[in-house]
Amino acid sequence: MDILKWTATELAAKIKNKEVTVMEAAQAVLDSIEKKERHYNCYITVDNEGIMKRAEDIQRRIDSGELTGRLAGVPVAIKDNMCTQGMLTTCASRMLGNFIPVFSSEAVLNLEKEGALIIGKTNMDEFAMGSTTETSAYGETKNPWDESRVPGGSSGGSAAAVAAQECFFALGSDTGGSIRQPASYCGVVGMKPTYGTVSRYGLIAYGSSLDQIGPISKDVTDCAAILEVLASHDKKDSTSIFRNDTDFTSALIEDVQGMRIGIPKDYLGEGLDAEVKEAVLRAAQVLKEKGAVVEEFDLSLVEYAIPAYYTIAAAEASSNLERFDGIKYGYRTRDYEGLHNMYKKSRSEGFGAEVKRRIMLGSFVLSSGYYDAYYLKALKVKALIKKAFDEAFSRYDLILGPVAPTTAPRLGESLADPIKMYLGDIYTISVNLAGLPAMSVPCGKDSQGLPIGLQLIGNCFQEKKIIQAAYTYEKARGVFGTPTAEKEKV
Amino acid sequence: MAKQYETVIGLEVHVELSTKTKIFCGCSTAFGGAPNTHTCPVCTGMPGSLPVLNKQVLEYAMAVGLATDCAITRYCKFDRKNYFYPDNPQNYQISQLYLPICKNGKVEIETAEGKKTVGIHEIHMEEDAGKLIHDEWEDCSLVDYNRSGVPLIEIVSEPDMRSAEEVIAYLEKLRMILQYLGVSDCKLQEGSMRADVNLSVREAGTEKFGTRTEMKNLNSFRSIKRAIEGERERQIELLEAGREVLQETRRWDDNKEESYAMRSKEDAQDYRYFPDPDLVPIVVSDEWIDEIRSRQPELRSEKMERYKREYDIPDYDIDIITGSKHMADIFEATVAISGQPKKAANWLMVETLRLLKENDMEPEDIRFSPENLAKLIKLTDEKVINSSVAKEVFEVMFDRNINPQVYIEEKGLKTVNDQNALRKTVEEVIEANPRSVEDYLNGKEKAIGFLVGQTMKAMQGKADPGMVNEILKLMLRNK
Amino acid sequence: MANVISDETIEYVGILAKLELSGEEKEQAKKDMGRMLDYIDKLGELDTADVEPMSHAFSVQNVFREDIVTNGDIRDEILSNAPGEKNGMFTVPRTFD
Ligand SMILES: [Mg+2]
Ligand SMILES: [Zn+2]
């Protein structure tokens, strides 16, 4: 019995049928972590002490019939920018190296209500700023398919942990592609829901108008099941939306007959790796063969998404990160003279280079005399981008494209040139600007065996269409495999 | 000839709203809790916490806007004002810059030269900051976030005022409106109403405004007056010396009675306002405005008119009583129970005002209940107690809001109506004061007053002086 | 590079953002910011004269809470992460206000 090979929903079903206990599942995950962590570094915190006791408690509640949910007893990893009461939450920053939240994020509470077993907190780019998980203050995470490569980011620890079977699923957050891109690099499924679907309460904000929590999972079925649990209308989050269509698992249907799918020509142009392009088009062909109507179209404005995004995200981040000042929590410098010196030293020592870079940029674009030219301009471009998507969705049910221009880059390659790194977000970023749902599904590997992700983008509140198409594609594609299986083959 | 200067003043008035909870979280706004006991992740800026707007704050702000003739903004947003200071846990204040809830209003004030209109530029909603306490023993300050997130409205006037007197008349007027609306208790001393003064001077007759300074930390009418006068002088002296007035923020020092510039390299005064992405826009419908208008309580001018119609009391009394919403409330409730407007007014106009003055209190500090005042009026009407006992009882009531009925029973203050007991005392007084008796009998009418007094004294005040007078006269006639 | 960031600008932004950069970091920051701004200047190619700026991607509005006290005293928790605490309050370097 290889517990680790099961998906989250399979494991939950077997726990329910008493084929396996929550404690056995927890132990399997702990063993896996024990074995692999020194290679991959997916986690910042593993709750070694508390996990077994909580597993027993969950088992008891399952046995008593109190917990009947689809994820009851399933071990899950949480990205370290989501608050977990009583459990270290660092945002992969020195700034929060000792921060123990006094409340849990709504998304985490929703999982706990369902009976999911939280194992620990995963590595990420510091404050979710980065695309490689190399900006973490706790060392980089390595891609389980190839340890010389990045897992992507910023939810790199979460994606790598799922791929490496160090958990059964994980939560990530996506501000500009931070769920979908690491999912793509790590060969797992990742979804960013419509803005407002999952409460942001307890998510340590990067770009508040763009941030959204979502699942990273082994397959589309898990993804739908997890999203169903995560989605809720939270009165503590003013941007949370009431929806009565969150029965996402009802969309696990193998059928794309007549579904209209558009591929933006701009997503296939210059900069896109040939092998990635080929894999994505092959996937499109699969959907076409299944009955979808697939065509290419001009989305327009694609090249404006990145500058608009970085202006807005940096501006919001510069303000969101002001609260880290060494007074209420977090890092305070040892020696200082007076208040402002304490602020400056604490923040300069507590934040890493990429975070400081974005705070500086964000402060600048909001500063007197530049607001209209940069920030306001970016908000207007955002409106135009949204309009372009509205037009596209008047013609198509889904937009299909790559997640990232390439497969996972080598460690250390990206940080040297930040703008080049930012350019890698070209296919994911406009989705956040427009508040849309989108999923990354593994659709092949390049000649070096590195996973490639297929992106499916839906209109607002159309997660079900995405899930249905992704599920259909996944069935047709067949088993994708795991890095462990690959290594065992060798 | 010396130049004539005109002072140009605009005011930014911060008013703490009297909601039960803070503007963006469910923490209590009650005064006086131990430090940080009225706090939560939201109002201490914990990572991951998010604000949700208290609807009452918005409706109070709209009510103030309607009462000051403002246009209500139909699509309104909150913005972040970014600056680092320890009393501000997020290091940004949630406020409104681009689309404040109310705009373009006005209020009318009375000045020495008659009525004058002061324009209201805008009213916006924002959150209050926490409190910094300076530790005497160690080289540090301490932060208490109990006030952090208490709702404020900031009422920004046009630069329409020309003197300290006008400024004070304007503040009095605002205070009256706010108290009548029941949206704030407006206590300057406690900081629930605070004014920042923007002041510039210009040569009389010129159109163009001079450079203005902003003065902060003014927490009494007295300091506002002093600060205005001092700043006017300072600016005129600068101009006379051929120097420039710098646009700056100055802080008023109440002890030294002077202001000083709050200049620091670290305070760049560049607040980088932008729409708060954690909050959603507010859309105000006609229906909503109508509803708030219909719920609007009677304001002072309306109340004064009604008192004139309904109660037979002097205009002077009406002016004083309606000069405080709290006093007017007590008056009306007392009248409703007792049906005695004149007597209720008298208690407020004479004894209440006297005691307030003696105790250095404001009408808002009145503690006795209308029920008890009505009881006292009834007890006097029914001659259960006489008027001097009533005054004594009132003093205790003013102090501790006692039930006069219970109090006079306990203290045995009831007027003695037993004719026999009275006669006996009167007889004793006549015995003991033969000189006065003789004076009276010899035609000195006034001497009876002394005898009444002696009788009242012997009765420990618990007699009806009229009745004593009658009995005395009767008994002396028989002498 | 079209946008040349001066020492003064970096100094000024450092004051706003409360960041103190070393000499080397400052040079890097000048370069980075200049390049980013050049890149952002691309937005200038678009005519947005008649476009309403969009803060949120779709219109959720009028989200309120009722004026009811829901929070109790959790002072110990609120202070539990404080680098400095005294008498139930957060300590900060001596501040004059
Ligand atoms: Mg203000
Ligand atoms: Zn609170």
XYZ file of all heavy atoms in Angstrom, chain A residues 377-416:
303
model
N -2.527 55.828 -14.172
C -2.413 55.329 -15.546
C -2.553 53.803 -15.560
O -3.273 53.246 -16.388
C -1.055 55.740 -16.124
C -0.819 55.312 -17.552
C -1.464 56.275 -18.522
C -1.400 55.760 -19.953
N -1.970 56.718 -20.901
N -1.892 53.162 -14.606
C -1.949 51.692 -14.554
C -3.374 51.216 -14.281
O -3.829 50.225 -14.856
C -0.989 51.168 -13.485
N -4.105 51.933 -13.420
C -5.488 51.544 -13.139
C -6.372 51.702 -14.381
O -7.330 50.958 -14.583
C -6.071 52.373 -11.990
C -5.533 52.113 -10.580
C -6.326 52.902 -9.551
C -5.549 50.632 -10.218
N -6.032 52.675 -15.202
C -6.791 52.864 -16.443
C -6.484 51.758 -17.451
O -7.371 51.250 -18.133
C -6.474 54.237 -17.051
C -7.065 55.381 -16.230
C -6.682 56.721 -16.816
C -7.416 57.844 -16.072
N -7.133 59.143 -16.689
N -5.206 51.395 -17.499
C -4.827 50.302 -18.404
C -5.478 49.004 -17.941
O -5.933 48.186 -18.743
C -3.292 50.166 -18.483
C -2.889 48.915 -19.244
C -2.693 51.414 -19.120
N -5.569 48.862 -16.632
C -6.247 47.694 -16.079
C -7.696 47.633 -16.593
O -8.181 46.572 -16.997
C -6.226 47.787 -14.545
C -6.969 46.675 -13.837
C -6.916 46.855 -12.318
C -7.768 45.811 -11.632
N -7.686 45.858 -10.175
N -8.357 48.781 -16.616
C -9.728 48.837 -17.122
C -9.772 48.405 -18.590
O -10.679 47.670 -19.006
C -10.295 50.244 -16.950
N -8.780 48.837 -19.362
C -8.740 48.457 -20.781
C -8.519 46.955 -20.947
O -9.128 46.313 -21.815
C -7.620 49.225 -21.499
C -7.811 50.738 -21.667
C -6.580 51.348 -22.337
C -9.070 51.027 -22.496
N -7.659 46.411 -20.118
C -7.368 44.974 -20.197
C -8.623 44.174 -19.846
O -8.974 43.190 -20.503
C -6.185 44.619 -19.271
C -4.880 45.166 -19.880
C -6.086 43.109 -19.043
C -3.675 45.122 -18.968
N -9.307 44.646 -18.822
C -10.563 43.984 -18.434
C -11.545 43.999 -19.601
O -12.216 43.004 -19.892
C -11.149 44.739 -17.223
C -12.538 44.301 -16.819
C -12.496 43.038 -16.000
C -13.884 42.640 -15.532
N -13.931 41.236 -15.135
N -11.587 45.126 -20.299
C -12.503 45.260 -21.422
C -12.126 44.285 -22.544
O -13.001 43.665 -23.169
C -12.461 46.704 -21.952
C -13.816 47.187 -22.430
C -13.769 48.678 -22.736
C -14.202 48.936 -24.172
N -13.385 49.939 -24.849
N -10.827 44.152 -22.755
C -10.372 43.221 -23.795
C -10.821 41.795 -23.468
O -11.249 41.041 -24.353
C -8.851 43.287 -23.915
N -10.753 41.435 -22.187
C -11.205 40.098 -21.788
C -12.734 39.973 -21.939
O -13.238 38.940 -22.363
C -10.782 39.786 -20.347
C -9.398 39.213 -20.247
C -8.355 39.948 -19.714
C -9.148 37.913 -20.702
C -7.083 39.409 -19.626
C -7.870 37.364 -20.619
C -6.828 38.121 -20.076
N -13.439 41.038 -21.564
C -14.905 40.998 -21.717
C -15.269 40.685 -23.166
O -16.160 39.875 -23.439
C -15.526 42.352 -21.317
C -15.531 42.550 -19.812
O -15.315 41.545 -19.087
O -15.738 43.689 -19.360
N -14.563 41.347 -24.068
C -14.838 41.108 -25.488
C -14.518 39.669 -25.863
O -15.297 39.015 -26.564
C -14.044 42.077 -26.357
C -14.744 43.414 -26.497
C -13.807 44.540 -26.934
O -12.782 44.255 -27.597
O -14.104 45.698 -26.598
N -13.373 39.189 -25.385
C -12.977 37.814 -25.708
C -14.024 36.831 -25.190
O -14.410 35.880 -25.884
C -11.612 37.504 -25.106
N -14.514 37.069 -23.982
C -15.475 36.129 -23.399
C -16.882 36.275 -23.982
O -17.749 35.460 -23.718
C -15.484 36.221 -21.876
C -14.280 35.592 -21.253
C -13.366 36.350 -20.534
C -14.034 34.228 -21.422
C -12.234 35.776 -19.979
C -12.902 33.636 -20.883
C -11.994 34.411 -20.151
N -17.080 37.312 -24.772
C -18.353 37.354 -25.489
C -18.324 36.353 -26.646
O -19.351 35.944 -27.166
C -18.625 38.776 -25.994
O -17.717 39.068 -27.050
N -17.108 35.928 -27.000
C -16.978 34.975 -28.124
C -16.549 33.575 -27.676
O -16.843 32.601 -28.342
C -15.971 35.512 -29.146
C -16.543 36.652 -29.981
C -15.599 37.054 -31.053
N -14.463 37.803 -30.508
C -13.250 37.817 -31.047
N -13.008 37.097 -32.125
N -12.296 38.531 -30.503
N -15.856 33.517 -26.542
C -15.310 32.214 -26.124
C -15.731 31.864 -24.705
O -15.895 32.749 -23.855
C -13.772 32.243 -26.199
C -13.276 32.588 -27.581
C -12.680 33.813 -27.835
C -13.445 31.679 -28.641
C -12.252 34.144 -29.107
C -13.017 32.012 -29.917
C -12.424 33.249 -30.147
O -12.020 33.561 -31.412
N -15.895 30.565 -24.473
C -16.151 30.093 -23.113
C -14.866 30.114 -22.306
O -14.886 30.380 -21.107
C -16.684 28.656 -23.147
C -18.029 28.577 -23.835
O -18.946 29.288 -23.389
O -18.162 27.815 -24.820
N -13.773 29.782 -22.974
C -12.485 29.701 -22.288
C -11.389 30.272 -23.178
O -11.505 30.261 -24.401
C -12.130 28.238 -21.988
C -12.963 27.478 -20.957
C -12.495 26.031 -20.912
C -12.859 28.127 -19.585
N -10.352 30.742 -22.508
C -9.140 31.120 -23.232
C -8.064 30.108 -22.861
O -7.936 29.723 -21.690
C -8.700 32.558 -22.851
C -9.734 33.551 -23.389
C -7.300 32.856 -23.370
C -9.508 34.975 -22.941
N -7.341 29.644 -23.873
C -6.322 28.620 -23.648
C -4.961 29.156 -24.041
O -4.834 29.900 -25.013
C -6.689 27.377 -24.476
C -5.789 26.145 -24.441
C -6.609 24.895 -24.727
C -4.615 26.244 -25.415
N -3.958 28.804 -23.246
C -2.610 29.245 -23.596
C -1.592 28.570 -22.704
O -1.940 27.728 -21.875
N -0.339 28.981 -22.854
C 0.680 28.464 -21.943
C 0.558 29.181 -20.590
O -0.116 30.193 -20.486
C 1.992 28.850 -22.618
C 1.658 30.010 -23.498
C 0.217 29.877 -23.872
N 1.207 28.619 -19.575
C 1.261 29.285 -18.275
C 2.479 30.200 -18.232
O 2.414 31.334 -17.799
C 1.331 28.249 -17.131
C 1.493 28.941 -15.787
C 0.098 27.350 -17.141
N 3.580 29.647 -18.697
C 4.848 30.385 -18.665
C 5.560 30.170 -19.986
O 5.325 29.175 -20.666
C 5.705 29.882 -17.510
N 6.423 31.094 -20.380
C 7.107 30.986 -21.676
C 8.067 29.800 -21.757
O 8.365 29.330 -22.841
C 7.889 32.291 -21.799
C 7.353 33.191 -20.740
C 6.753 32.341 -19.687
N 8.540 29.355 -20.596
C 9.525 28.268 -20.605
C 9.178 27.261 -19.518
O 8.264 27.481 -18.740
C 10.945 28.797 -20.282
O 10.928 29.312 -18.944
C 11.377 29.893 -21.232
N 9.936 26.206 -19.473
C 9.870 25.312 -18.318
C 10.792 25.901 -17.240
O 11.393 26.953 -17.445
C 10.325 23.888 -18.707
O 11.590 23.995 -19.351
C 9.315 23.235 -19.637
N 10.863 25.196 -16.103
C 11.576 25.751 -14.937
C 13.015 26.149 -15.250
O 13.803 25.322 -15.724
C 11.571 24.719 -13.813
N 13.383 27.410 -14.980
C 14.774 27.819 -15.193
C 15.711 27.245 -14.121
O 15.251 26.756 -13.090
C 14.733 29.345 -15.077
C 13.365 29.729 -14.683
C 12.530 28.511 -14.524
N 16.990 27.347 -14.403
C 17.976 26.890 -13.423
C 18.000 27.839 -12.235
O 17.716 29.025 -12.371
C 19.374 26.842 -14.046
C 19.508 25.762 -15.068
C 20.936 25.536 -15.522
N 20.915 24.584 -16.615
C 20.752 23.261 -16.453
N 20.634 22.757 -15.242
N 20.702 22.456 -17.492
N 18.346 27.297 -11.085
C 18.511 28.115 -9.884
C 19.510 29.234 -10.175
O 20.515 29.003 -10.859
C 19.028 27.260 -8.730
C 18.026 26.284 -8.125
C 18.766 25.195 -7.345
C 17.042 26.995 -7.233
N 19.211 30.434 -9.657
C 20.168 31.530 -9.768
C 20.129 32.276 -11.085
O 20.720 33.336 -11.219
N 19.388 31.753 -12.060
C 19.372 32.391 -13.380
C 18.499 33.641 -13.412
O 18.780 34.603 -14.125
C 18.768 31.412 -14.399
C 19.762 30.888 -15.396
C 19.143 29.826 -16.297
O 17.896 29.754 -16.377
O 19.906 29.070 -16.902
N 17.419 33.619 -12.655
C 16.389 34.644 -12.816
C 16.673 35.918 -12.048
O 16.424 37.016 -12.547
C 15.038 34.086 -12.370
O 14.798 32.858 -13.022
N 17.182 35.774 -10.826
C 17.287 36.943 -9.955
C 18.252 37.991 -10.486
O 18.143 39.168 -10.173
C 17.693 36.522 -8.543
C 16.609 35.803 -7.750
C 17.064 35.597 -6.311
C 15.290 36.562 -7.783
N 19.203 37.553 -11.316
C 20.203 38.465 -11.830
C 19.546 39.576 -12.646
O 20.030 40.700 -12.684
C 21.212 37.705 -12.676
